[in-house]
Amino acid sequence: MSVAARRLHAVLGAGPAGTTLAAELARQGKAVRLVSRSMPDGAPDGVQRRAADVSTHDGARAAVEGADVVYHCVNVAYHQQTEVMPRVQQAVLNAVEATGARLVVLDTLYPYGPTHGEVMTEDTPWRATSRKGVMRAQLDEAYLAAHRAGRVRVVLGRSADFVGPGVLNSTLGGAVFPPALTGGEVLALGDIDLPHSYTAIQDVAKGLAALGEDPEGDGRVWHLPTAPARTTREIHSMIEERVGGPLRRVVLTEPRPFGPFDATFMDEYAEMFYQHTEAQIVDSSAFERSFGLRPTPLDATLDATLGWFRTLIAGARN
C-alpha cells in the first residue's frame, strides 16, 4: 500500500454526501474517518466512526485530529443554517489551520442567487439576495480569503440539487421516488418545463475525492460533475417509463407543506423558490477537463435511485 493510500481522510457529516464520499474513499483504498454529531450509523466497512460536534472548537479538533485531508460535508436543518453554519465554518477553519490539513468544502449554488436562467459556470457572479444565499457567499469568501492568506489550503466543490441512492431531502428525492413506485402523489415545484440540473450523489463523492487527491485545484471553486440539465417534465417521463405507468403529479406553484417538507422547512425555502421559476443549469466542463471525470448519465442515476428506493420500501413493509 502506498504512502498516499495510508493518509487519513476525515469526512465531516454523515448525511448522503458524507456517507457516499466515505464509501468512495474507502473503495479507493484510503484510510477514512466518518464524523457526525452522534455516532454515525451504517458507515461503510473499514471506515472509522467518530462522534463530534464540529460547531465547537474542541469537537472540530477531535474530528480532524491526525487527518491529512478534511472534507466538510456538514449540513443542518434548513431553518438553523444561517445560525449554525458560520459557527461550523469558524471551528473547522481553526482546526485545520492548527493541524495543517487540507480542507475540501462541499458547497451549494446559493451564492449565485437568481441568474435569470443563464448557464452557471465558476465565473458566474455571486448575486445572492436571500438570507441563506448571502450567508453561503460570505462563508465561501471567508474560505477563499483564508487560503489566500496562507492560513489553510482550501478548495470548494459546488453541487446542484442531489439525486441518487440515499438522497431523501431533495426536490428529486423522497417526495418523488417512493410515491412514483407506490402510486402516491409525486411532488413537482414551479415551472416543470424549465431545465434543472441535478448532481448524482455518487458524482458528488467522486468529485470531492478527486479534489482531495489533487492540491493543484486548491484556492478556488469547482462545479462537481453534473449531467446535462433536463426539465422536470422530462425527468418525470423517464421515471414513468421505469415504473410502468403515469405519475400522479402535484405541482406547487408556490411553497407550501407537502410530503416530507413540513411548514417549518417550506417557510424557510420560500426565499429560494426562484430556483423553480427560472432555469437552473450547471456547467461542470471545467472540472471534467481538469480532473478527467465525466458525470453519470441521468438514465443510470434514475435506475440506481429507483432500485434503492424499491429496496427501502420493501424493507419498510417487512
Side-chain angles (χ1 to χ4, degrees):
M1 184 178 294
S2 70
V3 172
R6 291 195 297 269
R7 294 161 52 209
L8 178 62
H9 295 248
V11 179
L12 312 183
T19 301
T20 307
L21 172 59
E24 175 62 24
L25 292 168
R27 186 191 67 79
Q28 295 179 11
K30 296 178 170 59
V32 185
R33 173 190 299 150
L34 181 61
V35 182
S36 68
R37 187 165 184 168
S38 57
M39 190 62 73
D41 292 326
D45 291 343
V47 172
Q48 175 192 144
R49 299 184 301 156
R50 180 169 294 184
D53 180 357
V54 298
S55 69
T56 69
H57 172 80
D58 290 343
R61 284 296 298 267
V64 309
E65 177 187 14
D68 294 282
V69 186
V70 174
Y71 303 83
H72 176 1
C73 301
V74 176
N75 208 351
V76 298
Y78 216 57
H79 65 284
Q80 297 176 328
Q81 288 188 5
T82 55
E83 175 190 353
V84 176
M85 294 304 287
R87 294 208 310 265
V88 172
Q89 179 193 56
Q90 192 60 52
V92 171
L93 274 178
N94 288 341
V96 296
E97 181 179 11
T99 62
R102 289 181 58 236
L103 179 61
V104 180
V105 180
L106 174 58
D107 196 18
T108 74
L109 303 177
Y110 291 5
Y112 297 131
T115 63
H116 308 293
E118 71 182 70
V119 176
M120 286 174 272
T121 72
E122 291 88 341
D123 295 323
T124 298
W126 299 5
R127 298 171 290 204
T129 56
S130 67
R131 290 182 304 110
K132 286 177 283 295
V134 169
M135 178 268 294
R136 291 282 185 174
Q138 291 171 341
L139 296 186
D140 289 356
E141 181 49 44
Y143 285 124
L144 297 175
H147 180 89
R148 292 192 298 267
R151 288 181 53 201
V152 294
R153 294 166 294 165
V154 183
V155 62
L156 284 72
R158 281 190 180 151
S159 169
D161 288 345
F162 295 163
V163 60
V167 175
L168 295 171
N169 295 323
S170 169
T171 53
L172 196 54
V176 173
F177 294 102
L181 289 165
T182 60
E185 294 181 329
V186 171
L187 174 66
L189 297 177
D191 186 341
I192 66 172
D193 292 308
L194 293 172
H196 193 104
S197 291
Y198 292 92
T199 307
I201 198 67
Q202 191 61 50
D203 291 337
V204 172
K206 290 179 179 178
L208 293 175
L211 293 177
E213 187 69 21
D214 188 353
E216 291 298 315
D218 288 357
R220 58 164 288 179
V221 172
W222 295 92
H223 286 177
L224 300 174
T226 299
R230 306 287 290 268
T231 70
T232 299
R233 192 183 299 276
E234 289 175 320
I235 293 172
H236 283 186
S237 293
M238 295 168 73
I239 294 172
E240 287 174 335
E241 292 173 4
R242 286 159 170 79
V243 302
L247 302 183
R248 294 176 56 206
R249 182 166 50 220
V250 175
V251 180
L252 303 188
T253 57
E254 58 185 21
R256 63 175 174 82
F258 186 95
F261 303 118
D262 61 16
T264 299
F265 177 90
M266 279 301 195
D267 286 348
E268 281 290 331
Y269 195 66
E271 66 173 2
M272 309 305 301
F273 206 74
Y274 68 83
Q275 296 174 110
H276 307 286
T277 58
E278 63 179 30
Q280 290 274 288
I281 306 173
V282 174
D283 179 347
S284 61
S285 59
F287 187 101
E288 295 168 37
R289 289 192 303 269
S290 296
F291 295 92
L293 287 177
R294 298 282 297 171
T296 304
L298 183 58
D299 300 73
T301 298
L302 292 179
D303 289 339
T305 305
L306 284 164
W308 185 86
F309 275 104
R310 283 191 180 98
T311 300
L312 183 70
I313 293 168
R317 286 172 175 168
N318 293 331

